[in-house]
Amino acid sequence: MDPEPSFEDTYFDYCPWDFARHASAAQRAAQDARQRGLAEAGARFGPRCFVSAAAGVFPDVLVLGEGSYIAGHAYVTGEVATGADCTVNPYATVRGRITLGDGVRIGAHSSLLGFNHGFAPDEPVHRQPLTSKGITVGDDVWIGSNVVVLDGVTIGDHCVVGAGSVVTKDLPPWTIAAGNPARPMRDRRAPAASRGGTQSDRTGDAVARFADRARAQAAELVDRCWNPVTGRYGDRPGAPATVRAHCDAVEISDLLLDAPPARLTAAAHAERLRSLQDPVSGLVPETASDGGPGALPAPAHDGWVEDGSAEYHVLAVGYALELLGSRFAHPVHAALRMTPDQLVARLEGLPWRSRAWPAGAWVDCWATAARLNHVRGAGSGAPGALEALFGWLTTRVDPWTGMWGAAASPAEGRLQVVNGYYRLTRGSYAQFGVAVPYAERVVDTVLDHARDPRWFAPGRENACNVLDVAHPLWLAGRQTGHRTAEVRAWAEEQLTRALGRWRDGAGFGFGPAGEGGGGPGREPGLQGTEMWLAIVWLLADLAGVADRLGYRPRGIHRPEPAGTPWEG
């Protein structure tokens, strides 16, 4: 006969499910004595229960159903009652008024906190009264490791709560939930065949199919926007030629084909874009009717030229030239010559309270100009100007929202402030690789905005508004895991919608009118295609499947920092 296996007492502290089968007579006697001691204080135990001697069990009421156990270093206090076959795993905390059904699994290091402190300002917290609504958990529930369940929550039968979640609200039966706060992800009853693998698998397969389709059609959709008469690009067939359309064509071809648009060589594309720069200001106005350089307004007293298109072209042309292996012919003098005092005065004068989007767009332009000037060896600007920019931004950010400008308005909600946040941080914090302030508050604010049906109901989204949510969530997500599951769920939903907008041979349309009525509309074109391709990457990365796309933006919407003046 084989000898009986030897199990030290500490083994059962961590693996109590083996106690009923493998404990020695002495170990069973010690367990019986442990339960009798607790019973003298009013506890009740069904058959085949186990309570580790290494657990801190100090209840007012304790009822363990048949086959239930409390593992080593668990902490159990208050009024706790379980059904049959319940497990409190090592280092779990179960406190307050807790009721568990049959077959409940509580993962290691999880906490069920069925009580709460008051926190009124008239007394220190340690003197505040305790309240207890209690926690109720149904039958057949799995609570993963490192989960926190707060007082007053009911978790329905057959639920699964993902590791690391914080459950703040009731969960209906059969819910699979995850995140902080925990959010329902799907119904556990959905048959495996209908699910077609995990959500990540399905999303990954969808983006891989999309990327193959887009690459196969990229040359066609760019070429359709070339006007052979003028020899220039318009946003779509029949549209006027613009600087942005040429830059979008370069971006799309680089992203999907890893080559410049076939109508010109890389050098010819670069020379055409370089020729459009105004040598005095260094800005790039819209082209004249003959395709040559356009005119700019007279500069303001600080040397800056007020022209929205020219400001955006600093970004569009600057990055397109880098993709073509080139750079601007001249420094962006309008930024290079601005002193720190002039910069701060202009920042103070931007319309943060009423029009945060154009305010953020100006910062995007100036900061991008500073980087481009540095790259071409002209320096980033007057001494101390870049430091003045980040100093001003850091001291003016709202710590409650993580934003700059008014938090919301009745007419637009958070549209202005969130869209302005994207433009501002794209050119400054993201471009230079600087951590954004108050990342968790950013996530809260942006997710709140993303629920506004005026901008995000199905069919109402445009490229500007979705990009201006996706990028801040991506950027802040590099610093915090705050509400990750919610961010991922939003990204997966928007990704599914975005992929459905692709038009074969034509690409993406921008969507309904954007900020200030802007944007080229719903018809497929170069601007919509360039922006949505970048959005798809951001959404796919938030959903954890960007590797399936086989592309990564390298131009104006690149995820990585573009290099900083502080680098050696």
Side-chain angles (χ1 to χ4, degrees):
M1 178 181 294
D2 293 332
E4 182 178 346
S6 174
F7 291 88
E8 299 293 336
D9 290 340
T10 53
Y11 174 83
F12 296 121
D13 293 333
Y14 296 96
C15 302
W17 49 84
D18 277 338
F19 184 86
R21 291 181 296 164
H22 297 302
S24 66
Q27 289 165 334
R28 294 178 194 278
Q31 179 60 206
D32 289 343
R34 168 84 163 141
Q35 293 185 24
R36 284 196 303 272
L38 290 169
E40 290 174 1
R44 291 185 288 138
F45 301 94
R48 298 183 294 103
C49 286
F50 175 85
V51 180
S52 168
V57 181
F58 312 109
D60 298 317
V61 175
L62 176 63
V63 178
L64 283 190
E66 179 178 356
S68 297
Y69 61 75
I70 298 174
H73 305 286
Y75 182 29
V76 179
T77 68
E79 302 175 12
V80 179
T82 84
D85 300 308
C86 291
T87 64
V88 179
N89 276 296
Y91 298 98
T93 296
V94 180
R95 302 188 64 196
R97 291 198 299 113
I98 311 291
T99 302
L100 309 181
D102 295 334
V104 175
R105 296 291 185 267
I106 300 173
H109 298 278
S110 287
S111 296
L112 276 63
L113 305 175
F115 69 98
N116 209 343
H117 274 282
F119 51 90
D122 56 338
E123 288 283 351
V125 171
H126 74 275
R127 294 178 180 170
Q128 297 280 343
L130 295 180
T131 59
S132 180
K133 299 176 183 177
I135 294 172
T136 300
V137 180
D139 298 335
D140 181 36
V141 172
W142 176 19
I143 297 173
S145 296
N146 290 292
V147 170
V148 177
V149 183
L150 299 185
D151 188 33
V153 165
T154 295
I155 299 177
D157 296 344
H158 314 295
C159 285
V160 175
V161 182
S165 300
V166 178
V167 185
T168 62
K169 296 181 179 179
D170 294 353
L171 296 178
W174 296 102
T175 299
I176 296 178
N180 179 5
R183 180 182 183 278
M185 308 299 289
R186 64 177 175 87
D187 191 303
R188 182 180 162 194
R189 292 168 294 187
S194 69
R195 294 199 301 268
T198 67
Q199 178 64 41
S200 181
D201 291 338
R202 295 195 302 277
T203 304
D205 291 344
V207 300
R209 290 192 298 269
F210 160 76
D212 289 342
R213 188 174 167 191
R215 273 189 288 270
Q217 300 173 22
E220 175 188 357
L221 70 87
V222 169
D223 200 53
R224 72 190 277 271
C225 299
W226 173 267
N227 186 325
V229 176
T230 63
R232 299 168 67 203
Y233 287 100
D235 183 68
R236 52 197 179 280
T242 63
V243 175
R244 178 164 186 163
H246 196 151
C247 296
D248 288 336
V250 171
E251 292 259 7
I252 294 165
S253 294
D254 180 83
L255 196 66
L256 296 178
L257 302 174
D258 197 25
R263 288 286 179 172
L264 300 171
T265 65
H269 280 294
E271 186 53 39
R272 179 170 293 187
L273 293 174
R274 282 164 56 89
S275 71
L276 301 177
Q277 188 184 25
D278 173 48
V280 177
S281 68
L283 301 178
V284 183
E286 192 52 78
T287 54
S289 58
D290 62 359
L296 285 169
H301 72 279
D302 59 7
W304 192 263
V305 177
E306 311 287 354
D307 185 307
S309 294
E311 291 172 357
Y312 186 79
H313 293 159
V314 171
L315 285 61
V317 177
Y319 273 95
L321 286 171
E322 289 189 347
L323 293 176
L324 294 165
S326 185
R327 61 185 58 172
F328 276 129
H330 311 282
V332 183
H333 293 295
L336 189 65
R337 296 167 180 161
M338 189 173 284
T339 68
D341 288 344
Q342 290 173 332
L343 174 62
V344 169
R346 180 163 283 271
L347 290 168
E348 294 283 359
L350 293 173
W352 297 104
R353 302 299 301 175
S354 59
R355 307 294 289 170
W357 185 87
W362 189 89
V363 173
D364 193 2
C365 174
W366 191 93
T368 300
R371 191 193 74 81
L372 294 173
N373 287 338
H374 171 75
V375 167
R376 71 182 316 281
S380 58
L386 197 60
E387 290 79 4
L389 172 70
F390 280 100
W392 191 93
L393 293 174
T394 300
T395 56
R396 298 306 193 279
V397 63
D398 180 359
W400 299 105
T401 64
M403 304 279 121
W404 289 266
S409 73
E412 295 180 305
R414 297 186 183 272
L415 181 68
Q416 280 283 331
V417 72
V418 172
N419 287 14
Y421 181 91
Y422 160 68
R423 287 298 304 272
L424 182 154
T425 55
R426 192 221 71 85
S428 55
Y429 293 89
Q431 189 166 225
F432 293 144
V434 178
V436 298
Y438 308 111
E440 292 189 356
R441 301 291 74 77
V442 170
V443 173
D444 291 338
T445 302
V446 173
L447 283 178
D448 179 69
H449 170 59
R451 291 192 292 267
D452 192 328
R454 290 173 292 183
W455 319 113
F456 297 99
R460 293 189 180 182
E461 313 98 323
N462 65 45
C464 179
N465 293 343
V466 178
L467 173 63
D468 294 357
V469 168
H471 188 273
L473 290 178
W474 186 92
L475 185 62
R478 303 310 94 189
Q479 297 173 217
T480 177
H482 184 55
R483 300 175 70 175
T484 301
E486 290 177 81
V487 171
R488 182 172 186 142
W490 181 87
E492 288 173 345
E493 179 181 9
Q494 288 295 329
L495 186 56
T496 299
R497 295 185 196 176
L499 298 183
R501 296 187 181 100
W502 178 265
R503 296 266 293 275
D504 283 335
F508 287 111
F510 176 87
E515 155 65 28
R522 297 177 184 272
E523 287 301 310
L526 294 177
Q527 181 179 339
T529 301
E530 187 275 324
M531 292 185 71
W532 280 110
L533 286 172
I535 291 165
V536 165
W537 187 90
L538 286 166
L539 295 173
D541 201 55
L542 290 171
V545 295
D547 59 310
R548 301 291 303 277
L549 279 169
Y551 71 74
R552 186 183 185 90
R554 299 196 305 131
I556 196 169
H557 295 120
R558 62 186 296 160
E560 293 86 8
T564 81
W566 298 294
E567 290 178 341

